[in-house]
Amino acid sequence: MDKGNGQSLENPAAKANIYSANVSQSWMNGIFKKGSKEPLEETDIREVLERDSAHHLATKLQRAWDHEVKTSKKPRLLVPLIKVAGVKYFFSIVYVIIEMAARIIQSVFIGQIVGAFYVGGVDRNNGYLAATLLTLCTFIETIIHHPLFMESLRTGIDVRVALSAVVYNKVIEIVAKTGDIPLVHKKTCHVFVSKHSGMRLHSYNRS
C-alpha cells in the first residue's frame, strides 16, 4: 500500500528479468535495504502478482473441478490440482534431475582429477579439464538448488490458497442461497493453519 494515497504498490517481481526472478531474487533488494534501515510497515507490502492471487487460483481450480465433475464418473480432486499446479511441479522435477545429475558427475570428475596425478604419471591436461568441468557442475548445482526449493514452496502455497479460496467461496454461496448461518456451522469445511502441521482441510458434519 502507498503511504500517501492508500493505493497498492506495484510488485517488483512483475518487471524482474528471468535471472532476477528465478535465480538471484535480486528484485527483493529494495525491501531488504529499507528493512535494514527502519522497521517495515504494513504499507510497505507490495501488491500480489495476478498469477498468485486467490481470485486467479480459485477461479482456475474451480473451472478445472467443474470440468472434472462433468466429464468423470468418479471425480477426483487430484486431477484439477494437477491441472492447476502440475506444470510447476514438472519443472521442479526437471530441476531435481539436473541437480542430481550434476552431483553424480562431480564424483566422476573428482576421480579423474585424482587419476591424473596417480595413474601413469601426472597428466595435467586431463586434470585441468576435469577440474574445470567439476567447477562447472558445482556452479550449475548452486544455481539450481535454491530456485528448486523456492518453486516447490511457491507451488505448495498456490495449492493451499486455491483450496482455501474455493472452500471460502462455497461457504459464501451456501449462506447466500439458504440464508441459514447455523446450517453453515453444521455442515461446512473449516480451513485453518497450524504452525506445526501446516494447512489442513477438515469436513465436519454435526447433524
Side-chain angles (χ1 to χ4, degrees):
M1 300 295 290
D2 189 359
K3 294 181 180 180
N5 52 24
Q7 296 180 353
S8 299
L9 296 175
E10 183 181 8
N11 196 320
K15 296 183 178 180
N17 55 43
I18 297 178
Y19 177 78
S20 175
N22 299 286
V23 180
S24 67
Q25 307 294 328
S26 58
W27 61 271
M28 301 179 65
N29 289 345
I31 195 71
F32 287 155
K33 185 179 297 184
K34 184 174 183 179
S36 65
K37 296 179 180 179
E38 59 181 272
L40 296 177
E41 304 291 342
E42 184 178 354
T43 51
D44 296 318
I45 299 177
R46 265 42 176 188
E47 181 69 15
V48 67
L49 296 176
E50 175 63 23
R51 63 183 180 182
D52 296 326
S53 66
H55 174 73
H56 172 75
L57 295 172
T59 302
K60 191 175 181 179
L61 179 59
Q62 187 66 55
R63 188 182 299 116
W65 173 247
D66 292 340
H67 181 267
E68 174 68 11
V69 172
K70 293 179 181 179
T71 58
S72 178
K73 295 181 179 180
K74 295 181 178 180
R76 295 185 302 171
L77 182 60
L78 179 61
V79 176
L81 289 179
I82 292 177
K83 293 181 179 180
V84 172
V87 176
K88 296 181 180 180
Y89 270 118
F90 172 77
F91 283 109
S92 297
I93 294 175
V94 173
Y95 283 146
V96 170
I97 294 175
I98 296 175
E99 183 180 3
M100 292 298 102
R103 290 186 179 184
I104 294 173
I105 296 175
Q106 283 180 28
S107 61
V108 176
F109 291 146
I110 291 175
Q112 291 182 353
I113 293 174
V114 174
F117 288 95
Y118 292 97
V119 179
V122 177
D123 188 352
R124 292 187 177 182
N125 292 333
N126 288 338
Y128 289 148
L129 177 60
T132 302
L133 295 176
L134 175 62
T135 303
L136 179 62
C137 288
T138 304
F139 177 76
I140 293 175
E141 181 186 355
T142 303
I143 292 297
I144 291 178
H145 183 74
H146 294 290
L148 168 62
F149 280 93
M150 288 291 294
E151 190 63 26
S152 299
L153 177 63
R154 184 175 188 174
T155 303
I157 293 176
D158 286 348
V159 171
R160 292 179 178 184
V161 171
L163 289 172
S164 302
V166 168
V167 171
Y168 176 81
N169 291 339
K170 184 61 65 175
V171 172
I172 296 300
E173 182 181 349
I174 294 175
V175 174
K177 289 182 178 180
T178 64
D180 189 356
I181 296 180
L183 176 62
V184 177
H185 290 167
K186 291 180 180 180
K187 294 183 178 181
T188 188
C189 291
H190 298 272
V191 181
F192 66 92
V193 179
S194 172
K195 63 180 180 180
H196 299 293
S197 57
M199 183 171 292
R200 297 177 179 176
L201 291 176
H202 291 273
S203 179
Y204 293 95
N205 190 338
R206 305 179 187 175
S207 58

